[in-house]
Amino acid sequence: MGRTLFEKVWDLHAVRRLPNGQTQLYTGLHLVHEVTSPQAFAELRERGWRVRAPERTVATLDHIVPTRDQARPFADAMAETMAAVLERNCREHGVRLFDLASGAQGIVHVIGPELGLTQPGMTIACGDSHTSTHGAFGAIAFGIGTSQVRDVLASQCLAMSPLKVRRIDVNGRLAAGVYAKDVILSIIGRLGIKGGTGFAYEYTGDTIARMSMDERMTVCNMSIEGGARAGYVNPDDTTVEYLRGRRFAPAGPDFDRAAAWWRTLASDTGASWDDEVSIDGSAIAPTVTWGINPGQSVGVDATLPDPADFPAEDRPGMAEAFEFMGFRPRQPMAGTRIDVAFVGSCTNARLSDLREAASVVAGQRVAPHVRALVVPGSQSVASLAEREGLDEIFRSAGFEWRRAGCSMCLAMNPDRLEAREICASSSNRNFKGRQGSPTGRTLLMSPAMVAAAAVAGEVVDIRRWPRAPSASRERVHP
Ligand code: SF4
């Protein structure tokens, strides 16, 4: 009987069965940031405890950092306090911190992979929902709450109940202008935002196999938006080549030994999954959300749904979304006027995302009524992009080129929507108030679609753009 990657990694990290039936699970890597860790560190201090495995704990500053002026002290006193508290906690406990002076600071789910900290076969925890991103490497990665951050700091372990595994098999070549973001928005649209409850999602199929690591991270990042506790892709050559030479990846003969082991972790041919779903990748269109959760989406060339066509239990949620967004059933998605364009976040602010968005706006101008910003996912992404001149392409087109951080993904910093603004966003959540204004509205889409919307001043079909991007697989990635 074969086993899934989830079962193999779970079993390798299971310390013991707890009296309540849960498993005490060892955590290979604990990623920490300034928002969900202060209380956890404070509890350790109160009890006189130390961080159990500082060598497996890595911190960064991302959620609260301003992306325009990063001079210390920050203008926002609360942000300055949170940064200072994290710095003190890391110093006291011997935890490595990638701060603004490190050259490697950035969004926690961007820097983990790019530094080679994230590796196949690991269990990874972080006090942020989108920790599922790291599953792209064949790791089992969980977003955890503050009390669990305390538990992991103190014991390097988590009390967890095992998950069922749903295999999501995506096959077919993506059309030009269709991206990993469209794939995961389509999956969530089909299975629903609660469809993954109690599951880990295992993404397989030739569409996923052709994806770069950046693209796989985009897919896994939003697993949580489909209700799944984790999402992963089996390690393969793409995974191994991405990690080769990375700062914290094994080196020399150790790398070859590790790579050989990583490959054995992939789900066995004879494995059985608790559920299986097939998706036709060639049928996916550029996808845009129209509502107040990531499952409320349509193809850009479609019209918004009519609640009358849906079961009675779905209608109140749809009515709430229509009222909040100020949209009408059956209105076309394309042509929706936007006020703000945001290329950023741990979903889509890696170098390949910025390249794709830059290729769309090169030689064009942002519409006069649109405020547009590009926020690289990390200092490393920013410097690589600047080396390629992407910053100049964006600036010439009228975008603001910012410093690395979470920025307008959740607006715990000065980057926020105002009043009823509509934002074309490459981020991952379109909940009410997510981008800082209680009445602000978010349309999730791929970075290329955000870039095109910035220029057009409205939602447009990237497939009809004058410089239509190449098909997904042919794109270059770092
Ligand atoms: S970019 Fe958004 S989702 Fe990602 S870590 Fe930051 S706040 Fe969380």
Side-chain angles (χ1 to χ4, degrees):
M1 183 72 174
R3 293 188 299 159
T4 63
L5 177 141
F6 182 87
E7 291 168 314
K8 296 180 195 182
V9 175
W10 183 276
D11 290 349
L12 282 166
H13 292 83
V15 177
R16 67 184 171 122
R17 197 174 168 85
L18 297 168
N20 68 358
Q22 289 189 299
T23 301
Q24 183 183 359
L25 200 66
Y26 191 75
T27 305
L29 174 66
H30 186 196
L31 297 165
V32 171
H33 61 85
E34 72 280 17
V35 175
T36 48
S37 66
Q39 184 65 29
F41 275 112
E43 287 196 42
L44 256 64
R45 190 171 295 115
E46 276 166 27
R47 294 166 194 241
W49 293 347
R50 304 286 306 161
V51 171
R52 175 75 177 81
E55 74 283 5
R56 291 183 177 275
T57 312
V58 175
T60 188
L61 285 163
D62 52 8
H63 287 61
I64 54 90
V65 294
T67 62
R68 200 195 301 265
D69 179 3
Q70 296 189 329
R72 299 288 296 273
F74 297 143
D76 178 348
M78 173 69 83
E80 178 57 32
T81 300
M82 290 173 91
V85 166
L86 182 66
E87 287 162 348
R88 188 191 67 187
N89 286 332
C90 288
R91 237 184 354 260
E92 281 182 12
H93 289 272
V95 169
R96 187 190 292 266
L97 168 65
F98 290 102
D99 62 12
L100 296 175
S102 68
Q105 169 268 345
I107 306 173
V108 65
H109 310 311
V110 175
I111 70 161
E114 74 184 8
L115 289 167
L117 290 161
T118 301
Q119 296 170 21
M122 277 183 164
T123 46
I124 298 176
C126 174
D128 183 273
S129 307
H130 296 86
T131 306
S132 55
T133 309
H134 305 264
F137 291 79
I140 301 300
F142 300 110
I144 57 176
T146 293
S147 57
Q148 290 173 304
V149 171
R150 173 206 59 204
D151 295 348
V152 180
L153 287 174
S155 69
Q156 203 58 23
C157 291
L158 271 172
M160 297 284 293
S161 300
L163 299 170
K164 293 181 284 184
V165 181
R166 172 177 291 141
R167 180 189 189 200
I168 300 180
D169 199 40
V170 191
N171 291 288
R173 195 164 281 277
L174 299 179
V178 177
Y179 298 86
K181 182 64 153 287
D182 304 304
V183 172
I184 187 61
L185 283 174
S186 303
I187 290 170
I188 298 167
R190 173 159 159 194
L191 300 177
I193 55 169
K194 294 183 181 155
T197 306
F199 282 95
Y201 279 174
E202 175 176 322
Y203 301 101
T204 62
D206 60 53
T207 308
I208 303 293
R210 277 192 296 272
M211 284 183 176
S212 68
M213 290 311 297
D214 285 8
E215 292 171 307
R216 293 177 188 182
M217 282 188 257
T218 298
V219 171
C220 289
N221 173 278
M222 290 191 69
S223 303
I224 189 79
E225 304 304 335
R229 190 72 206 275
Y232 65 86
V233 176
N234 289 306
D236 61 7
D237 290 350
T238 304
T239 322
V240 170
E241 290 316 311
Y242 177 98
L243 286 167
R244 192 184 296 278
R246 302 251 165 202
R247 181 167 163 190
F248 292 98
D254 287 346
F255 183 85
D256 296 331
R257 271 196 296 277
W261 180 67
W262 293 339
R263 292 175 200 279
T264 68
L265 298 168
S267 293
D268 300 323
T269 315
S272 67
W273 293 265
D274 299 287
D275 190 31
E276 295 186 58
V277 173
S278 252
I279 304 274
D280 178 2
S282 68
I284 295 174
T287 303
V288 183
T289 61
W290 59 267
I292 51 174
N293 70 58
Q296 292 174 321
S297 67
V298 289
V300 67
D301 52 353
T303 54
L304 305 199
D306 187 337
D309 299 335
F310 286 77
E313 65 265 26
D314 292 345
R315 289 181 204 154
M318 294 177 80
E320 182 188 357
F322 276 114
E323 187 185 349
F324 182 81
M325 297 300 286
F327 296 159
R328 295 180 325 277
R330 297 190 188 277
Q331 81 177 61
M333 187 74 244
T336 304
R337 185 181 160 99
I338 66 155
D339 307 294
V340 178
F342 170 58
V343 176
S345 90
C346 58
T347 314
N348 277 127
R350 297 182 176 81
L351 184 58
S352 55
D353 299 313
L354 271 43
R355 282 177 176 159
E356 210 60 31
S359 77
V360 170
V361 303
Q364 315 255 12
R365 285 293 299 172
V366 168
H369 68 275
V370 172
R371 180 161 59 102
L373 60 161
V374 179
V375 187
S378 69
Q379 292 180 335
S380 169
V381 168
S383 64
L384 289 168
E386 286 166 9
R387 206 180 298 164
E388 292 183 13
L390 301 187
D391 58 327
E392 271 314 306
I393 292 173
F394 285 118
R395 281 202 191 94
S396 305
F399 279 82
E400 294 177 51
W401 176 255
R402 297 291 190 85
R403 308 279 184 89
C406 293
S407 182
M408 206 180 266
C409 173
L410 90 169
M412 289 184 84
N413 54 71
D415 304 338
R416 317 167 70 82
L417 294 186
E418 304 287 338
R420 288 283 282 161
E421 282 182 331
I422 295 186
C423 180
S425 177
S426 70
S427 58
N428 46 46
R429 279 191 170 158
N430 53 344
F431 301 163
K432 290 178 181 176
R434 170 75 175 180
Q435 293 192 284
S437 163
T439 53
R441 294 166 287 175
T442 304
L443 309 179
L444 301 176
M445 60 189 82
S446 69
M449 287 276 287
V450 173
V455 171
E458 60 184 33
V459 175
V460 290
D461 189 339
I462 190 70
R463 295 170 298 187
R464 304 209 172 88
W465 197 246
R467 295 187 51 192
S470 54
S472 169
R473 242 346 275 156
E474 277 63 58
R475 290 197 301 275
V476 181
H477 62 86

